[in-house]
């Protein structure tokens, strides 16, 4: 959100936009033209924000799901939701990158956009996201990392109409025991 060409950081905080408008009204008007009152294009803005941000080192995952060497100089961590189209797109790109290069490690971490299992999710955008995350962890528990990635791939391409029965069928088609999968 921009007010008079100035970005309002934390725009989602209570009254932040109202305060920015009030401050703009109270400050002397800058001598400028409407053409100068344009924010940068989104791609440039995102890149600049990324460059200015502090590096975030995610904590170690107790049950990591990673592709690529442990000592890779580049580590990419994707927090994703199996029912989110952007997650599927990013995951496909990052998996390909990690598998093609020897200097990239890709880690997938669950971040279902559903407050039923993720206290950081503000709204329930994907009703089956929790179930999908649990299913992939059950596959990993029973069959190990390779089975995790196989079911992970299936989940990324079958987000629509997901339910417990479809997940169970997919898991059994991957060779997992139906009862063990449901229990896990």
């Amino acid at each position: 959100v921009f007010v008079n060409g100035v970005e309002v950081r934390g725009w989602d905080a209570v009254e932040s936009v109202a305060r920015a408008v009030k401050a703009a009204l109270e400050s002397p008007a800058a001598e400028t033209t409407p053409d100068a009152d344009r924010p940068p294009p989104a791609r440039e803005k995102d890149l600049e924000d990324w460059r200015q941000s502090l590096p975030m080192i995610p904590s170690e995952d107790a049950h990591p799901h990673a592709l690529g060497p442990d000592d890779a100089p580049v580590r990419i961590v994707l927090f994703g939701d199996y029912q989110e189209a952007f997650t599927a797109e990013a995951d496909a790109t990052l998996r390909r990158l990690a598998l093609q290069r020897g200097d990239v490690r890709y880690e997938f971490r669950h971040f279902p956009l559903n407050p039923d299992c993720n206290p950081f999710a503000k709204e329930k955008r994907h009703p089956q996201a929790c179930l999908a995350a649990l299913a992939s962890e059950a596959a990993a528990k029973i069959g190990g990392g390779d089975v995790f990635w196989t079911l992970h791939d299936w989940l990324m391409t079958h987000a629509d109409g997901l339910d417990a029965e479809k997940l169970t069928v997919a898991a059994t088609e991957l060779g997992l025991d139906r009862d063990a999968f449901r229990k896990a």
Side-chain angles (χ1 to χ4, degrees):
V1 174
F2 290 82
V3 175
N4 280 356
V6 177
E7 181 182 6
V8 179
R9 293 195 179 258
W11 60 268
D12 55 345
V14 176
E15 299 291 318
S16 62
V17 175
R19 284 192 306 271
V21 170
K22 183 179 178 191
L25 290 170
E26 292 173 354
S27 66
E31 297 207 16
T32 185
T33 66
D35 289 334
D37 186 22
R38 295 194 193 285
R43 183 170 289 175
E44 289 175 23
K45 173 77 174 92
D46 288 344
L47 187 56
E48 187 58 32
D49 285 352
W50 176 74
R51 285 183 178 135
Q52 291 181 3
S53 65
L54 295 173
M56 188 174 125
I57 309 297
S59 61
E60 291 304 315
D61 193 344
H63 306 286
H65 302 294
L67 297 172
D70 291 342
D71 62 347
V74 176
R75 177 181 173 208
I76 302 171
V77 180
L78 175 64
F79 290 82
D81 178 324
Y82 285 117
Q83 293 194 291
E84 180 62 48
F86 295 118
T87 296
E89 186 178 332
D91 176 75
T93 300
L94 296 172
R95 287 174 61 193
R96 191 170 38 256
L97 184 68
L99 293 171
Q100 289 174 349
R101 298 178 56 126
D103 59 350
V104 174
R105 179 178 175 84
Y106 166 52
E107 298 177 17
F108 180 82
R109 303 227 187 142
H110 301 289
F111 194 86
L113 295 175
N114 185 330
D116 292 347
C117 61
N118 181 355
F120 299 105
K122 294 180 181 178
E123 61 184 75
K124 190 180 216 175
R125 289 177 59 193
H126 301 299
Q128 300 301 326
C130 299
L131 180 64
L134 287 172
S136 69
E137 289 303 318
K141 182 177 181 181
I142 298 168
D146 289 341
V147 176
F148 166 84
W149 285 108
T150 303
L151 186 60
H152 173 89
D153 185 48
W154 185 90
L155 286 162
M156 288 294 181
T157 57
H158 292 83
D160 294 333
L162 200 57
D163 63 25
E165 187 55 33
K166 285 182 183 177
L167 281 168
T168 302
V169 169
T172 55
E173 287 176 357
L174 293 174
L176 296 176
D177 179 75
R178 179 183 183 88
D179 294 331
F181 177 74
R182 285 186 164 228
K183 183 179 179 183

